[in-house]
């Protein structure tokens, strides 16, 4: 008896997204190592924490595929891109990776909608919300860097930015949770 609840197309799309999350984890890991080598221990810590978060995203998808009775395909992960040239470019590159990851999430959500696979569609909504938060988190950091001078940030500003990221929250309050009393 076949108990597989996922179509071939959905299984392939989920497996591809699982690899994409693993790739994202490697990117954060690699940029974290770069930041540490530049003396930015706080930023490295932030990026290493995010490498773990991406790994968790990968595991969620792996677990979902298994729980729906389909086959997980663990494949090789593409190498991370070249190191950034400076901190601003580091976070700009991260933002672009997140936007690309969002496209991957939307793709799986779109296929599940077309196939009327509401279980997968529902599962993907967690990722849709997570991507809003991740994009917002990096956008906020980019804003702060731009205010501080972007590529021309002074040593003092770089020092403060690095120190702040060591203990910065990894979460952003989504717009859905905003009220007039708590904007
Ligand atoms: Fe799993 Fe940063 O997206």
């Amino acid at each position: 008896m076949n108990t597989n609840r996922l179509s071939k197309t959905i299984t392939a799309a989920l497996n591809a997204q699982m690899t994409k999350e693993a790739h994202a984890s490697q990117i954060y890991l690699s940029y974290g190592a770069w930041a540490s080598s530049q003396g930015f221990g706080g930023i490295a810590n932030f990026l290493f924490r995010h490498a773990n978060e991406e790994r968790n995203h990968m595991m969620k998808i792996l677990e979902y595929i298994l729980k729906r009775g389909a086959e997980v395909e663990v494949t090789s992960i593409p190498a991370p891109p070249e190191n950034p040239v400076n901190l601003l470019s580091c976070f700009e590159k991260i933002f672009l990776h997140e936007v690309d990851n969002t496209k991957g999430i939307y793709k799986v959500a779109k296929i599940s909608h077309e196939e009327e696979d509401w279980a997968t569609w529902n599962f993907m909504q967690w990722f849709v919300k997570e991507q809003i938060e991740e994009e917002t988190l990096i956008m906020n950091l980019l804003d702060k860097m731009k205010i501080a001078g972007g590529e021309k940030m002074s040593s003092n500003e770089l020092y403060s930015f690095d120190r702040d990221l060591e203990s910065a929250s990894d979460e952003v309050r989504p717009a859905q949770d905003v009220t007039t009393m708590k904007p």
Side-chain angles (χ1 to χ4, degrees):
M1 185 181 153
N2 182 10
T3 56
N4 184 353
R5 301 290 290 123
L6 298 179
S7 74
K8 273 197 175 130
T9 319
I10 288 279
T11 305
L14 283 166
N15 272 303
Q17 187 58 35
M18 187 183 77
T19 306
K20 224 168 161 51
E21 301 289 346
H23 181 50
S25 177
Q26 295 298 84
I27 292 171
Y28 277 105
L29 197 65
S30 143
Y31 288 3
W34 169 80
S36 183
S37 74
Q38 303 295 305
F40 298 118
I43 292 164
N45 187 304
F46 173 86
L47 295 171
F48 289 149
R49 296 199 306 270
H50 274 267
N52 282 341
E53 211 170 289
E54 298 298 352
R55 189 106 185 134
N56 286 338
H57 296 169
M58 178 203 74
M59 279 306 294
K60 280 183 198 298
I61 298 174
L62 180 145
E63 195 62 30
Y64 179 75
I65 298 170
L66 290 176
K67 281 197 159 52
R68 299 301 287 158
E71 201 169 327
V72 165
E73 196 184 342
V74 176
T75 61
S76 55
I77 309 167
E82 283 180 12
N83 283 336
V85 291
N86 55 41
L87 268 192
L88 184 65
S89 108
C90 175
F91 283 93
E92 282 175 344
K93 277 160 85 92
I94 285 173
F95 179 70
L96 293 177
H97 291 309
E98 286 295 350
V99 170
D100 183 58
N101 204 34
T102 301
K103 281 187 193 155
I105 300 286
Y106 286 0
K107 194 171 160 190
V108 186
K110 184 171 185 282
I111 298 170
S112 63
H113 191 278
E114 283 163 0
E115 290 193 7
E116 300 187 9
D117 176 349
W118 304 121
T120 302
W121 187 85
N122 179 268
F123 174 70
M124 293 312 294
Q125 296 317 298
W126 183 91
F127 286 89
V128 170
K129 185 163 176 261
E130 178 69 12
Q131 282 309 115
I132 298 174
E133 292 181 29
E134 300 226 318
E135 287 179 6
T136 306
L137 181 67
I138 305 300
M139 282 152 82
N140 289 348
L141 292 177
L142 280 172
D143 283 347
K144 283 195 178 103
M145 292 181 86
K146 278 173 197 155
I147 289 168
E151 283 175 16
K152 296 185 174 66
M153 278 168 83
S154 68
S155 317
N156 272 351
E157 282 154 343
L158 285 170
Y159 177 82
S160 305
F161 189 70
D162 183 57
R163 189 197 49 205
D164 290 351
L165 282 200
E166 173 93 45
S167 54
S169 169
D170 298 326
E171 310 291 330
V172 173
R173 201 149 57 98
Q176 291 96 312
D177 294 347
V178 164
T179 64
T180 49
M181 296 304 286
K182 245 180 154 185

